[in-house]
Amino acid sequence: MKLTLAEAETLVVDALNRSGVDEANARSVARALVAAEAAGQGGHGLRRVEAYSAQARAGKVDGRARPQASRPMPGVLTIDAMNGYAYPALDLAVEMLPGMAREQGIAIATIHRSHHAGVMGLTVARFAERGLAALMFANAPASMAPWGGNKALYGTNPIAFAVPIEDGEPIVVDLALSKVARGKIMAARQKGEAIPDDWAFDADGQPTTDANRAMDGFMAPLGGAKGAALAMMVEILSAGLIGANYAFEASSLFDDKGPPVALGQTIIAIDPTATGGPGVFSRLALLADEIGAQEGARIPGRRGQALSRSAEAEGVVIDDEVVAAIRAIA
């Protein structure tokens, strides 16, 4: 079914409102999920509404929470998401952190007692649109074993980065440290589709093409031992250093069972003019131009940006069963 972005947003808001989420939080969540769909990231889009709504009804996430911010040091912003959705807390970071970064040259925001961080490339791009470079780290419930281990200890633990360039859209890097994002396996399970045999392992540590067995097992790390080491680094940056739950302490994001997930996110914002001077954006554009000049090469972020522009003009196509499930809630 094809929906305009406004129609898709209204659909999500209605479902969340019916599940006890207040208007402001529902609108924040809906904007993020619809933006994910528009950017071609359906695993982080409207397929999440059922679980988000069920968690609000069960009290696993507080749909009426208001994130609380403090500045313990001039360059440090700490945000307690109050066991609500991550998106209102991320909105608050986008509101407050840019001014701090311009004052200091660099600033950091940490978010604890948080929820699913969604498509982090969309969050860091919001900083790039404000003239800043941004790095973001987030942990997720345990789904990946340390290298050589056989028990899930880390999440897929994505890293995202964005930087503005002169006369062009920002460069945006967004990657999970598992072979693929777990949302892709969730989407395959919902569709009843098989997955490639190098995406995940079953509970016995054997490669599997069965999405159900993969969800009960653990993810394959990106780049083997190197990916597992980076996942540990993200676990430290987004949990150990900021007081959030480690991945192995968090309950699932895919059901309404257990306590709040209480995950963490960390964002570092940099004023490029403080580090590179007034000509920094043209220097960054030079690198993008050199990449784009190579046949077959792609500047990171361009595919999602093109899809988002198309969705703004033409709407998004959502699977009928997803729309039906959301309407049943609403």
Side-chain angles (χ1 to χ4, degrees):
M1 179 178 295
K2 179 171 279 191
L3 301 172
T4 68
L5 299 189
E7 289 170 339
E9 186 174 315
T10 297
L11 182 67
V12 175
V13 168
D14 288 347
L16 292 171
N17 285 162
R18 290 285 292 177
S19 301
V21 181
D22 70 24
E23 181 68 21
N25 284 334
R27 190 67 59 181
S28 174
V29 172
R31 281 195 301 265
L33 297 188
V34 172
E37 287 286 351
Q41 298 291 334
H44 293 294
L46 269 62
R47 289 185 177 276
R48 298 276 178 164
V49 174
E50 274 194 280
Y52 278 20
S53 299
Q55 289 165 13
R57 292 193 299 271
K60 185 172 181 175
V61 64
D62 184 351
R64 299 182 180 279
R66 287 287 177 269
Q68 303 296 314
S70 61
R71 287 182 65 175
M73 293 185 179
V76 179
L77 176 69
T78 64
I79 298 175
D80 183 348
M82 306 293 288
N83 289 323
Y85 296 106
Y87 305 113
L90 293 170
D91 290 344
L92 186 56
V94 171
E95 175 188 336
M96 296 184 67
L97 197 60
M100 294 169 57
R102 292 189 186 96
E103 289 171 9
Q104 311 292 326
I106 185 170
I108 186 171
T110 66
I111 304 172
H112 64 283
R113 293 209 293 172
S114 192
H115 195 256
H116 175 230
V119 180
M120 296 187 346
L122 295 172
T123 298
V124 292
R126 294 168 71 184
F127 287 92
E129 290 162 2
R130 289 159 173 78
L132 301 173
L135 267 167
M136 183 173 174
F137 310 92
N139 72 339
S143 61
M144 190 162 63
W147 189 247
N150 59 8
K151 179 182 177 183
L153 192 65
Y154 312 136
T156 53
N157 289 17
I159 297 172
F161 169 76
V163 67
I165 64 174
E166 188 173 71
D167 299 326
E169 293 182 292
I171 296 170
V172 180
V173 177
D174 187 352
L175 54 93
L177 292 176
S178 54
K179 184 87 173 185
V180 298
R182 203 161 188 236
K184 289 190 175 183
I185 295 179
M186 179 197 72
R189 181 179 67 175
Q190 290 179 341
K191 295 176 183 178
E193 296 176 351
I195 60 172
D197 63 5
D198 61 347
W199 280 14
F201 303 95
D202 64 20
D204 297 321
Q206 299 300 311
T208 182
T209 60
D210 186 322
N212 288 300
R213 292 175 67 85
M215 291 294 288
D216 292 333
F218 53 94
M219 307 290 293
L222 177 69
K226 295 177 181 179
L230 285 171
M232 180 189 69
M233 180 193 76
V234 172
E235 199 70 49
I236 291 168
L237 285 167
S238 60
L241 288 179
I242 72 170
N245 270 352
Y246 284 120
F248 62 84
E249 296 175 309
S251 58
S252 175
L253 283 169
F254 295 110
D255 62 38
D256 59 357
K257 307 297 190 295
V261 291
L263 295 166
Q265 294 97 35
T266 293
I267 303 169
I268 300 169
I270 302 165
D271 181 355
T273 62
T275 56
V280 66
F281 298 113
S282 63
R283 290 289 295 164
L284 292 166
L286 174 61
L287 175 60
D289 290 344
E290 288 294 314
I291 296 169
Q294 294 192 24
E295 186 176 354
R298 190 174 69 190
I299 299 168
R302 291 293 183 264
R303 176 180 175 275
Q305 290 157 353
L307 288 171
S308 294
R309 287 194 301 273
S310 176
E312 185 70 39
E314 301 175 13
V316 288
V317 177
I318 310 296
D319 287 347
D320 289 345
E321 72 271 15
V322 174
V323 175
I326 298 172
R327 284 180 172 165
I329 299 167

